[in-house]
Amino acid sequence: MRIPAHSVCTAIRDDIVAGVHERGSRLTEELLARRYGVSRVPVREALRTLEAEGFVVTRRHAGACVAEPTEQEAADLLEMRALLEPLGAARAAQRRTEAHLKVLRGLVRLGQERARRGTSDDLRSLGGWFHETLAQASGSPALIAMLTQLRHKIAWMYAVEAPADPAESWAEHGAIVDAVARGDSERARAVTALHTERATSAHRLRLGAPRERGERVRNPQHPVNTASPRH
């Protein structure tokens, strides 16, 4: 069975974001194919996609390498998110379905409950799911794709501190959902802009040194999960 290139792409991207393939390290087709248990063809296609997304660069005499973004490029990502997430919320207020609202309300209830109990271990993943669903509710494939790519890149470049008051953060999530449910685009935009601004202050740039060129990645065997990728 031929493994889809998008599954290989997702696996390599996830490992880049997680730091398995460090910034500046080489990405050879042979080693990647062995690591993910696939042929070189889907690896080659995946590397082209990741280069277009900005995760990979091609260097003369070195081939494909993990990109090494500058601090300015990282800062630009947060600025772009601050502009696009409020737009997505405004669009969601106009285009959301009842299914979107059901998921968003459920996530808010769960997040608020766990914040009150102090069980915050999975609040970050719940928050990511919330913002992913909010983007989906915008009904704009182009905007969804841009926000998804921003989410991947920001997770790659920044460490995020837990909010000092998780309950307040989830109250903001609740206010966003209320505005979206009422179809109030301007309110949804304004509340999301404030929430994004506050969240941005918790981001700390990762300052990891790249490995020597050509060093092999950890865990040399990592078969690709061929189930439908989430991203």
Side-chain angles (χ1 to χ4, degrees):
M1 181 180 68
R2 184 175 184 272
I3 306 299
H6 66 76
S7 295
V8 181
C9 183
T10 297
I12 298 173
R13 186 195 298 111
D14 286 349
D15 277 348
I16 290 174
V17 170
V20 175
H21 304 298
E22 295 184 7
R23 300 177 201 184
S25 62
R26 289 185 63 192
L27 297 169
T28 64
E29 292 179 9
E30 181 180 357
L31 290 177
L32 291 173
R34 189 183 311 156
R35 173 179 173 78
Y36 300 108
V38 298
S39 72
R40 294 174 65 168
V41 174
V43 168
R44 190 175 303 126
E45 294 177 27
L47 290 177
R48 283 197 292 263
T49 298
L50 291 169
E51 184 168 17
E53 292 179 355
F55 288 96
V56 171
V57 296
T58 301
R59 293 196 174 103
R60 189 178 182 184
H61 305 310
C65 301
V66 179
E68 298 178 88
T70 65
E71 290 189 19
Q72 184 58 62
E73 288 170 333
D76 287 347
L77 294 176
L78 294 180
E79 186 174 358
M80 290 168 64
R81 188 183 67 171
L83 294 171
L84 292 179
E85 283 204 341
L87 174 61
R91 292 288 181 270
Q94 300 168 343
R95 303 173 182 173
R96 88 294 185 277
T97 66
E98 288 302 315
H100 290 132
L101 285 178
K102 182 177 181 180
V103 174
L104 289 168
R105 285 169 171 155
L107 288 169
V108 168
R109 283 196 298 272
L110 190 57
Q112 290 178 336
E113 175 185 328
R114 295 191 178 179
R116 283 195 300 270
R117 291 182 178 180
T119 54
S120 58
D121 291 346
D122 59 351
L123 283 181
R124 183 171 299 175
S125 61
L126 287 175
W129 190 1
F130 175 90
H131 286 284
E132 183 178 336
T133 304
L134 186 64
Q136 292 287 337
S138 73
S140 170
L143 186 55
I144 293 166
M146 293 178 72
L147 285 170
T148 299
Q149 191 174 135
L150 280 173
R151 188 161 53 248
H152 290 316
K153 286 189 173 180
I154 289 170
W156 176 35
M157 297 184 199
Y158 288 92
V160 183
E161 298 174 355
D165 186 353
E168 181 182 11
S169 178
W170 279 95
E172 292 173 359
H173 285 124
I176 293 170
V177 176
D178 288 344
V180 168
R182 292 197 306 271
D184 188 340
S185 298
E186 291 309 311
R187 173 66 176 166
R189 185 193 300 269
V191 176
T192 304
L194 179 60
H195 175 71
T196 304
E197 181 182 352
R198 288 177 176 170
T200 295
S201 64
H203 287 67
R204 299 290 178 265
L205 196 63
R206 299 183 193 275
L207 297 174
R211 274 192 295 238
E212 292 296 322
R213 301 290 188 248
E215 184 177 341
R216 296 190 180 194
V217 298
R218 298 187 294 275
N219 305 324
Q221 187 67 27
H222 180 67
V224 170
N225 180 356
T226 57
S228 298
R230 177 172 178 172
H231 302 303

